[in-house]
Amino acid sequence: MKKIIEHYQIQGKITIGYARVSSADNRQKLGLEVQKEALNFCDKLYIERESGGNQDRPQLQKALKLAKECAESGIETSLVVYKLDRLTRKMLHLSALIADLTSHNIRLQSLQEQIETDSLTGKFFCLMLGYVAEWELQAISDRTKDGLRKAKERGVKLGNKGISKDKERQIIRSYLKQEMPIRDMADQLHISTATIYSVLRRNNIRTNRKI
């Protein structure tokens, strides 16, 4: 990091990008590509595959650490995200981040909302949008719970419907023959590795090899 700081001390400024998706599925991959393209002007880009509800994200912490060390070294520092909810969906967390960045003279910029925190108005809009994002998340959660409750009242069985007996026998046969690693088996059968382990445990088959 020392070399990075020395390099940008010569330039006098640095722009640090942060992109986040919640998982590695195809829709999330597309969202990540959109973020990466929008943030391609950044000097450094940190990419994360973590839930926004997790505040202690390693790549975010690295981005913040670099930003603070650059700012403390007299470098004009900006932290840029594609959208505020990529940074966090929690109002209190966003407020704490803005306060922390401001105290280190770091500008936070959101491209989608077109706001920056180098003014009181910018900080205000950031917090307002943070509140809206958290409200939307809570509304989604409430609708999901309400839908599950109504489905249960109608007698709908919830949860994992399981897999067919034929697929279960295929899992056991493939595992005992050691045809392929469990992760490859899961990809081929379009199921999770957890489902495979569940089938093996249910059939009293010991697992002692790597995924």
Side-chain angles (χ1 to χ4, degrees), residues 11-187:
Q11 290 191 189
K13 61 181 180 178
I14 183 172
T15 301
I16 302 167
Y18 175 75
R20 180 187 65 79
V21 291
S22 298
S23 65
D25 64 35
N26 289 334
R27 187 173 60 180
Q28 293 284 320
K29 284 179 182 177
L30 179 61
L32 181 58
E33 289 306 313
V34 170
Q35 292 180 66
K36 286 167 66 177
E37 184 177 350
L39 296 167
N40 64 4
F41 66 93
C42 295
D43 299 304
K44 297 284 291 184
L45 178 60
Y46 291 86
I47 297 172
E48 194 121 58
R49 288 178 175 83
E50 281 274 0
S51 167
N54 178 13
Q55 296 184 16
D56 191 26
R57 285 169 262 145
Q59 294 305 312
L60 176 58
Q61 296 307 316
K62 287 180 181 179
L64 292 173
K65 182 179 180 182
L66 176 60
K68 290 176 184 178
E69 293 198 10
C70 286
E72 288 170 0
S73 300
I75 302 169
E76 182 183 328
T77 306
S78 296
L79 177 66
V80 186
V81 292
Y82 177 70
K83 196 176 178 183
L84 274 179
D85 65 5
R86 299 302 84 198
L87 193 60
T88 180
R89 285 181 175 269
K90 298 291 185 180
M91 179 67 174
L92 289 177
H93 187 210
L94 178 60
S95 178
L97 280 172
I98 290 174
D100 190 29
L101 293 172
T102 300
S103 69
H104 287 84
N105 201 30
I106 299 168
R107 181 181 66 168
L108 173 62
Q109 181 182 3
S110 174
L111 301 180
Q112 190 73 3
E113 290 93 354
Q114 297 183 1
I115 53 176
E116 301 172 358
T117 60
D118 51 359
S119 68
L120 286 175
T121 303
K123 292 184 180 71
F124 171 76
F125 278 115
C126 269
L127 293 174
M128 284 297 296
L129 289 168
Y131 173 79
V132 170
E134 186 168 353
W135 180 85
E136 287 178 342
L137 191 64
Q138 185 61 50
I140 292 169
S141 176
D142 290 344
R143 287 197 297 270
T144 301
K145 289 176 183 177
D146 188 52
L148 291 172
R149 178 183 58 78
K150 289 179 179 178
K152 192 174 181 181
E153 288 173 355
R154 293 196 304 269
V156 177
K157 291 185 178 180
L158 305 173
N160 192 338
K161 295 182 180 179
I163 60 175
S164 68
K165 287 293 182 182
D166 286 341
K167 185 166 282 189
E168 188 164 317
R169 284 193 289 269
Q170 187 178 354
I171 289 170
I172 294 169
R173 184 170 59 252
S174 181
Y175 180 80
L176 292 177
K177 287 183 178 180
Q178 297 189 7
E179 292 176 344
M180 64 183 74
I182 286 181
R183 193 181 300 280
D184 293 345
M185 194 191 310
D187 290 340

Side-chain angles (χ1 to χ4, degrees), residues 189-203:
L189 297 174
H190 305 293
I191 57 177
S192 68
T193 55
T195 297
I196 293 177
Y197 281 115
S198 178
V199 168
L200 296 175
R201 284 196 302 271
R202 189 162 60 245
N203 289 275

